[in-house]
């Protein structure tokens, strides 16, 4: 009994390990095949044909509990005259075909403007796929954003104007910083009140070429760092900031937003019932302490592979106008005095 039980258990364990290794190998082969396809020069559009008067919006989607919010955000972006198209990159391979079919239909008929909304199911949950240089992106500028952040269209259009004046920089609304912990001699991920070096993918505007550099360039070092992103299931935004800073030797630019509603921020209070909690708690940053620690580790590892620290600090933010910042009481509300 004992010998046979051990033999069976050993066979079962080896089978599971073998199956997992085969699955991982199959996944890696699939990823490499996709990269070979999208990175092939013949599959890239002629730069001369890319539109410069509009941008493409890439919204990352994963959680089915966020689908109603995702549809609303996609529809809002489609209403902007500066948006050429909206691509919803669905990164949850376990979502049923029926749900995907319904979502694709709902998105296709929900456009509020001339920009078409398309669902693009991803072959894996890898966060790297949000930066693939897809042939369907026909604009020089792309806006990468999340499915839980609503940004008013005036801010989108202002950010696009600022990007056109600074096409080599990353433009964003949500920013963070890198810093050094001198006692532990390691990099940390943090927030500074007066400077920043990282733009988050909650709202990240960039030129299309950076998608190619992230996904297709950099040789074995970039391959290693993209693999880290997959292992950590985090930090693709930090890596993109590394890529751009390495290219430009400058920091990103922050723009002021008139209204940016972050439904996924862990500081949201659940005053609206379970709906808000479901949207908020599925986010990576809902585990705040662990989230910051892991992202600090990413910065340390990316620095090790790069061989130097390319991130650069920027200061201040770009605003659409210089207006009165004081608050006045009008009716029963406190509002900006010049409103």
């Amino acid at each position: 009994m004992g010998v046979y039980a051990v033999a069976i258990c050993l066979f079962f364990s080896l089978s599971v390990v073998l199956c997992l290794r085969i699955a991982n190998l199959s996944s890696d082969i699939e990823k490499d095949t996709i990269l070979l396809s999208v990175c092939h020069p013949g599959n890239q559009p002629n730069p001369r044909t890319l539109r410069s008067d509009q941008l493409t919006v890439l919204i990352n989607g994963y959680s089915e509990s966020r689908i109603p919010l995702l549809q609303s955000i996609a529809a809002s972006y489609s209403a902007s005259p500066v948006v050429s198209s909206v691509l919803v990159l669905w990164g949850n391979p376990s979502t049923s075909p029926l749900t995907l079919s319904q979502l694709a239909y709902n998105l296709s008929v929900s456009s509020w403007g001339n920009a078409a909304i398309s669902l693009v199911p991803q072959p894996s949950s890898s966060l790297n796929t949000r930066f693939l240089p897809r042939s369907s992106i026909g604009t020089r500028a792309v806006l990468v954003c999340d499915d839980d952040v609503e940004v008013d269209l005036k801010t989108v259009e202002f950010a696009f104007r600022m990007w056109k004046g600074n096409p080599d920089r990353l433009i964003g609304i949500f920013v963070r910083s890198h810093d050094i912990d001198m006692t532990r001699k390691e990099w940390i991920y943090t927030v500074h009140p007066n400077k920043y070096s990282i733009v988050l993918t909650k709202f990240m505007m960039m030129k299309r070429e950076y998608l190619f550099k992230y996904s297709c360039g950099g040789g074995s070092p970039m391959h290693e760092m993209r693999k880290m992103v997959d292992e950590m299931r985090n930090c693709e935004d930090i890596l993109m900031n590394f890529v751009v800073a390495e290219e430009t030797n400058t920091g990103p630019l922050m723009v002021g937003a008139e209204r940016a509603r972050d439904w996924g921020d862990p500081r949201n209070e659940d005053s609206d019932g379970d709906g808000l909690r479901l949207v908020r708690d599925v986010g990576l940053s809902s585990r705040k302490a662990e989230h910051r620690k892991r992202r600090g580790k990413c910065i340390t590892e990316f620095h090790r592979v790069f061989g130097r620290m390319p991130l650069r600090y920027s200061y201040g933010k770009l605003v659409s106008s210089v207006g009165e910042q004081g608050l006045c009481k009008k009716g029963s509300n406190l509002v900006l005095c010049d409103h």
Side-chain angles (χ1 to χ4, degrees):
M1 164 64 180
V3 174
Y4 288 117
V6 170
I8 291 172
C9 289
L10 180 60
F11 174 76
F12 179 75
S13 299
L14 289 174
S15 298
V16 170
V17 170
L18 182 59
C19 287
L20 287 174
R21 287 180 177 174
I22 291 173
N24 289 335
L25 178 60
S26 176
S27 176
D28 289 342
I29 292 174
E30 185 177 27
K31 289 175 186 175
D32 291 343
T33 302
I34 292 170
L35 280 179
L36 284 173
S37 176
V38 299
C39 294
H40 191 281
N43 293 330
Q44 293 299 308
N46 186 332
R48 296 178 181 178
T49 66
L50 296 175
R51 299 189 60 165
S52 57
D53 61 330
Q54 289 183 310
L55 57 83
T56 303
V57 178
L58 307 177
I59 305 178
N60 213 49
Y62 183 89
S63 173
E64 293 178 31
S65 66
R66 286 181 176 176
I67 284 180
L69 180 59
L70 166 64
Q71 292 177 172
S72 174
I73 291 172
S76 176
Y77 278 121
S78 73
S80 173
V82 303
V83 173
S84 172
S85 62
V86 179
L87 304 182
V88 175
L89 312 177
W90 190 257
N92 188 347
S94 66
T95 302
S96 71
L98 181 61
T99 300
L100 286 178
S101 177
Q102 187 63 54
L103 176 57
Y105 173 77
N106 290 344
L107 289 171
S108 68
V109 299
S110 64
S111 177
W112 294 349
N114 294 323
I117 307 175
S118 304
L119 179 68
V120 185
Q122 302 304 292
S124 74
S125 59
S126 171
L127 292 171
N128 289 312
T129 60
R130 71 189 311 181
F131 292 137
L132 290 176
R134 306 166 195 279
S135 59
S136 55
I137 300 174
T139 58
R140 296 184 184 278
V142 294
L143 170 59
V144 177
C145 52
D146 289 343
D147 62 351
D148 59 353
V149 176
E150 292 180 284
V151 177
D152 67 284
L153 296 187
K154 286 185 178 180
T155 297
V156 175
E157 291 155 21
F158 172 67
F160 184 49
R161 291 199 302 274
M162 295 302 99
W163 175 84
K164 287 195 287 186
N166 302 272
D168 293 331
R169 311 277 289 272
L170 288 179
I171 303 287
I173 296 173
F174 302 89
V175 296
R176 301 292 186 268
S177 295
H178 71 294
D179 208 338
I180 189 75
D181 184 332
M182 296 302 295
T183 57
R184 297 183 179 181
K185 296 182 180 179
E186 62 184 20
W187 294 102
I188 60 173
Y189 172 80
T190 187
V191 177
H192 287 302
N194 58 353
K195 62 182 180 179
Y196 54 90
S197 56
I198 297 168
V199 164
L200 305 185
T201 44
K202 292 173 183 286
F203 187 100
M204 175 190 283
M205 196 173 291
M206 73 184 91
K207 64 181 181 181
R208 187 189 189 280
E209 290 93 319
Y210 290 144
L211 300 180
F212 189 88
K213 287 184 179 295
Y214 181 102
S215 299
C216 311
S220 57
M222 272 302 296
H223 176 78
E224 180 181 350
M225 289 183 285
R226 290 194 301 266
K227 190 173 181 180
M228 290 179 194
V229 169
D230 284 334
E231 291 170 352
M232 298 287 286
R233 291 189 57 78
N234 204 324
C235 304
E236 82 286 357
D237 53 348
I238 295 177
L239 182 52
M240 177 58 85
N241 279 271
F242 267 74
V243 169
V244 176
E246 175 77 4
E247 178 77 10
T248 64
N249 199 35
T250 58
L253 290 175
M254 179 185 183
V255 295
E258 289 197 16
R259 182 183 184 277
R261 177 71 165 95
D262 187 352
W263 292 87
D265 193 300
R267 293 168 294 187
N268 277 301
E269 295 181 357
D270 194 19
S271 58
D272 298 332
D274 289 343
L276 174 57
R277 180 179 58 80
L278 287 172
V279 170
R280 179 195 63 197
D281 292 352
V282 296
L284 287 171
S285 60
S286 60
R287 300 174 295 278
K288 193 171 183 180
E290 177 191 349
H291 179 65
R292 287 197 175 191
K293 183 177 180 181
R294 293 175 71 189
R295 287 168 72 80
K297 182 178 179 181
C298 287
I299 294 173
T300 299
E301 288 301 301
F302 294 159
H303 173 222
R304 177 184 63 80
V305 176
F306 264 88
R308 73 183 192 93
M309 173 50 71
L311 295 180
R312 295 290 179 268
Y313 288 114
S314 296
Y315 304 84
K317 65 181 178 181
L318 304 172
V319 295
S320 58
S321 64
V322 179
E324 177 61 60
Q325 298 301 305
L327 295 176
C328 294
K329 189 171 184 179
K330 297 185 179 181
S332 58
N333 300 316
L334 281 175
V335 298
L336 291 173
C337 296
D338 55 1
H339 281 189

